[in-house]
Amino acid sequence: MSSRRTLASWKKLQLLAQDKKSQHMKTLFSQDNERFNKFSIELPNMLLDYSKNLIDSETMDSLLALATETNVCQWRDKMFRGDKINKTEERAVLHTALRRQSHEPLIIDDENVTNHVQKQLADMEIFVNNVRQGEWLGYSGKRITDIVNIGVGGSNLGPQTVTEALKHYSDGSINVHYVSNVDGAQIVEVLRPLNPEKVLFIVSSKTFTTAETMTNAKTAIKWLTSASFDEKSVAKHFVAVTANRENAMSFGIEENNIFDMWDWVGGRFSLWSAIGLAIALDLGFDKFRELLSGANEMDQHFINAPLKDNMPAIMALISVWNTTFLGSQSQAILPYDQTLHMLTAYLQQAEMESNGKSVTWDGSEVDYATVPSIWGELGINGQHAFYQYLHQSNNVVPADFIGSVESVTPVKGHHETLMSNFFAQTQALMTGVDETQVRADLKAKGRTQDYIDKVAPHKVHKGNRPTNTILLKRIDPKTLGNLIAAYEHKIFVQGIILKICSFDQWGVELGKGLAADIQQELENNNIGSHHDCSTASLMKFYQSAK
Ligand code: F6P
């Protein structure tokens, strides 16, 4: 039995979960008008309402006791002060240092992280201003109009999620494009309309070994040099962001064009570093700093707010409650704000790569459910696609609904329609509608008894489906910084409670290694006998069908 299961709070929560499974939220609401006041948290730019979960005060007290028993606050403090809490890689976890507003020294392995961060911000600012003001010129003396960020996973999703979300704040002087997929279709489409004289590539790769990114970067270099007829043009059109300077330089990136990353920044938490260059180039450096300060505001809240009022901690506890104790296997992220259309993809990596594990940090098998699979889509699109499943399938999918009070691009009548749906959905998912009500409604509409008997069972919505509602004031750099940092800390707290090392990703290595071997076999037309018969036959079929 895992040590978590022996905790008093864990045992209590298991009992409470049995009890709660037979209750309906509708009843809990009818018994307690104060649920919203009790189970919501208001911060300057956002509100979290978690009252539409199968919880009551006793559940929340026990969840908070679990956070205390698992030393969440002590672990949080260790993270912020740079202890090596990424145990399997023996690294500190300091993405929070990238947005720290204080200039106090923070020493890791005899190095002052604050100096590194401040120097890098200064270098980024100079570079961004040079490019945006037309001082950085391409090989033929033209100013840069287009940025292409080549990177995948954390070296893509963070910057792209943010530039998509903050499009409204861009002055449009620079167009930003992303290439993440090794499928040549993407880079060909991205480069097709661009003029090589005016494009700057950012090759973003913490390791500078990711095969897909290297392949795309090589193609981009070929594309440039076949227009410039000059290898030296690479220096004017390629910069890199990496923790592996050596590889970047032997790849052909000019030493002065390399921005550092550090092993204390995980890829999926790196948008606050130079990995965020595309953001800064698109929005300007002041907006990038606002994003950082928004994230820092959430860091301060996470550090200072008592657990019961601590938004990331509560989000994590609710997720653990729904998944580990009540047995939900997936969670939907449903933004009702067009600007957040990439948030679900971003959170898929952030949460699933961090906590999708089945061994505790001390190496024993986890014997409880850990994180749900994360999926979702913009709310309105989802309503007309998969919400049927959310309302009536026999799998319960807890969901985060994220909306904004104000639209950044108000169009008369649109926002009210959007937000009416936003409020209606969480109410419907919670209350549902029972058969008595369905029958009464059909009768009131003058339907025959035969019709009512036939259709009524299909119209029943059981309800009791948990949701969190996050209501933002308005999408802007600060609020977005708040939101993303809240999810980062939620993931951290989840990991601590579940006893999982959230900052490694060994599970992606096996497939990577196999893919490299298979690529060789395909290139040499020499398919080894060590494959299972399915994989070998698929490879042979592919080779012969080419
Ligand atoms: O394969 C997964 C992964 O290592 C992610 O963790 C990371 O964000 C992504 O690949 C890209 O890695 P890199 O920045 O080193 O190219």
Side-chain angles (χ1 to χ4, degrees):
M1 190 165 51
S2 82
S3 54
R4 290 297 189 239
R5 282 185 184 277
T6 61
L7 299 174
S9 54
W10 190 283
K11 289 183 190 159
K12 173 101 186 274
L13 284 160
Q14 278 182 311
L15 291 175
L16 290 176
Q18 287 316 314
D19 180 43
K20 279 282 163 295
K21 278 179 190 167
S22 61
Q23 294 185 10
H24 199 293
M25 271 186 260
K26 204 167 51 172
T27 317
L28 299 177
F29 268 92
S30 69
Q31 288 167 349
D32 185 359
N33 276 336
E34 285 299 303
R35 271 185 83 78
F36 174 80
N37 291 334
K38 282 184 190 162
F39 305 128
S40 63
I41 298 175
E42 191 177 343
L43 298 185
N45 297 323
M46 63 206 277
L47 168 82
L48 167 71
D49 171 21
Y50 58 100
S51 64
K52 292 194 185 90
N53 281 285
L54 208 40
I55 51 166
D56 57 17
S57 298
E58 192 182 13
T59 326
M60 285 317 297
D61 289 346
S62 303
L63 284 166
L64 290 164
L66 177 62
T68 306
E69 277 196 286
T70 52
N71 298 321
V72 164
C73 295
Q74 288 86 332
W75 281 104
R76 174 198 63 198
D77 297 344
K78 286 184 194 193
M79 174 170 76
F80 277 91
R81 70 171 179 246
D83 289 8
K84 295 195 173 170
I85 62 164
N86 175 353
K87 293 186 179 223
T88 61
E89 296 178 323
E90 294 176 0
R91 292 174 180 171
V93 175
L94 272 179
H95 46 280
T96 51
L98 300 165
R99 57 225 192 187
R100 208 156 157 254
Q101 307 290 300
S102 138
H103 290 196
E104 299 238 319
L106 184 56
I107 309 293
I108 308 295
D109 292 334
D110 299 329
E111 294 207 32
N112 186 353
V113 163
T114 310
N115 286 349
H116 287 308
V117 171
Q118 289 310 319
K119 159 125 186 27
Q120 181 165 81
L121 284 170
D123 291 347
M124 284 171 72
E125 183 162 17
I126 293 169
F127 169 71
V128 165
N129 290 342
N130 280 348
V131 174
R132 286 176 57 81
Q133 289 159 12
E135 281 154 33
W136 178 297
L137 301 173
Y139 68 86
S140 61
K142 299 205 165 111
R143 67 186 287 165
I144 300 298
T145 55
D146 292 83
I147 302 292
V148 179
N149 188 90
I150 299 179
V152 70
S155 299
N156 159 259
L157 287 165
Q160 194 170 4
T161 300
V162 172
T163 51
E164 285 295 304
L166 299 178
K167 259 188 185 153
H168 177 77
Y169 299 88
S170 165
D171 61 7
S173 58
I174 302 260
N175 305 306
V176 180
H177 314 266
Y178 292 90
V179 174
S180 55
N181 198 343
V182 76
D183 186 334
Q186 191 185 25
I187 192 160
V188 166
E189 271 315 302
V190 167
L191 297 184
R192 194 195 304 280
L194 304 186
N195 177 351
E197 295 166 275
K198 301 178 178 180
V199 177
L200 182 70
F201 292 92
I202 307 171
V203 185
S204 287
S205 176
K206 180 176 172 185
T207 55
F208 231 82
T209 56
T210 304
E212 300 91 320
T213 298
M214 297 302 110
T215 303
N216 280 323
K218 277 184 201 145
T219 300
I221 288 185
K222 255 192 228 146
W223 178 80
L224 172 78
T225 51
S226 62
S228 67
F229 300 107
D230 183 2
E231 292 290 324
K232 287 201 194 104
S233 60
V234 172
K236 294 191 181 295
H237 291 268
F238 279 79
V239 299
V241 185
T242 185
N244 189 344
R245 271 186 169 258
E246 237 171 59
N247 271 22
M249 279 159 65
S250 45
F251 186 85
I253 309 287
E254 176 88 10
E255 188 172 6
N256 292 333
N257 289 1
I258 299 175
F259 292 85
D260 288 318
M261 251 191 105
W262 304 278
D263 69 3
W264 40 265
V265 181
R268 53 191 172 274
F269 303 101
S270 64
L271 74 91
W272 326 101
S273 71
I275 291 286
L277 264 183
I279 305 169
L281 284 160
D282 186 20
L283 305 178
F285 211 73
D286 291 348
K287 300 269 180 345
F288 185 68
R289 281 194 192 274
E290 279 174 38
L291 179 77
L292 300 186
S293 89
N296 179 261
E297 273 178 12
M298 185 53 71
D299 296 343
Q300 297 310 314
H301 166 75
F302 182 48
I303 292 170
N304 295 314
L307 284 176
K308 69 178 185 36
D309 304 318
N310 194 308
M311 190 177 287
I314 294 293
M315 286 163 72
L317 291 171
I318 293 293
S319 177
V320 170
W321 171 242
N322 284 330
T323 309
T324 310
F325 292 98
L326 295 181
S328 296
Q329 295 190 348
S330 76
Q331 179 180 357
I333 302 289
L334 306 169
Y336 279 68
D337 191 312
Q338 180 69 28
T339 68
L340 297 178
H341 72 96
M342 281 196 61
L343 184 69
T344 308
Y346 175 81
L347 292 178
Q348 272 173 339
Q349 188 200 16
E351 185 156 333
M352 292 167 84
E353 195 167 80
S354 298
N355 291 338
K357 292 163 191 169
S358 49
V359 170
T360 61
W361 60 53
D362 48 20
S364 33
E365 193 78 25
V366 168
D367 57 356
Y368 39 81
T370 55
V371 289
S373 51
I374 303 288
W375 60 285
E377 179 37 290
L378 283 175
I380 291 294
N381 296 352
Q383 281 180 214
H384 298 277
F386 55 78
Y387 274 37
Q388 163 65 39
Y389 181 94
L390 296 185
H391 284 283
Q392 282 190 317
S393 87
N394 49 14
N395 285 325
V396 171
V397 182
D400 283 2
F401 281 70
I402 305 162
S404 307
V405 174
E406 256 181 70
S407 164
V408 286
T409 36
V411 182
K412 198 166 187 300
H414 285 236
H415 200 61
E416 295 305 298
T417 307
L418 177 70
M419 294 309 284
S420 304
N421 279 277
F422 177 80
F423 296 122
Q425 288 297 331
T426 61
Q427 181 177 323
L429 284 163
M430 192 273 281
T431 55
V433 51
D434 62 20
E435 189 160 347
T436 315
Q437 188 63 50
V438 169
R439 284 178 177 276
D441 291 346
L442 288 170
K443 201 163 182 191
K445 285 184 180 143
R447 297 296 194 170
T448 65
Q449 195 55 44
D450 274 0
Y451 180 86
I452 294 174
D453 289 342
K454 187 171 75 175
V455 169
H458 299 277
K459 290 186 67 112
V460 170
H461 290 55
K462 288 187 182 149
N464 216 17
R465 316 249 154 173
T467 59
N468 293 318
T469 297
I470 296 177
L471 202 44
L472 309 167
K473 259 195 181 158
R474 177 179 204 259
I475 289 291
D476 61 25
K478 252 200 183 170
T479 310
L480 189 64
N482 289 172
L483 180 70
I484 294 177
Y487 273 104
E488 284 180 346
H489 295 319
K490 170 212 169 186
I491 290 163
F492 166 78
V493 174
Q494 255 176 326
I496 297 300
I497 290 174
L498 299 169
K499 218 178 174 188
I500 277 173
C501 182
S502 304
F503 299 102
D504 58 23
Q505 55 284 319
W506 302 104
V508 296
E509 297 304 329
L510 176 62
K512 271 190 202 173
L514 281 176
D517 295 345
I518 287 177
Q519 185 164 357
Q520 290 248 308
E521 292 173 61
L522 292 177
E523 277 165 12
N524 301 335
N525 205 6
N526 177 21
I527 296 169
S529 56
H530 57 287
H531 297 288
D532 61 82
C533 70
S534 161
T535 310
S537 304
L538 288 168
M539 288 164 69
K540 284 177 192 156
F541 181 86
Y542 171 78
Q543 286 294 62
S544 59
K546 272 208 290 188

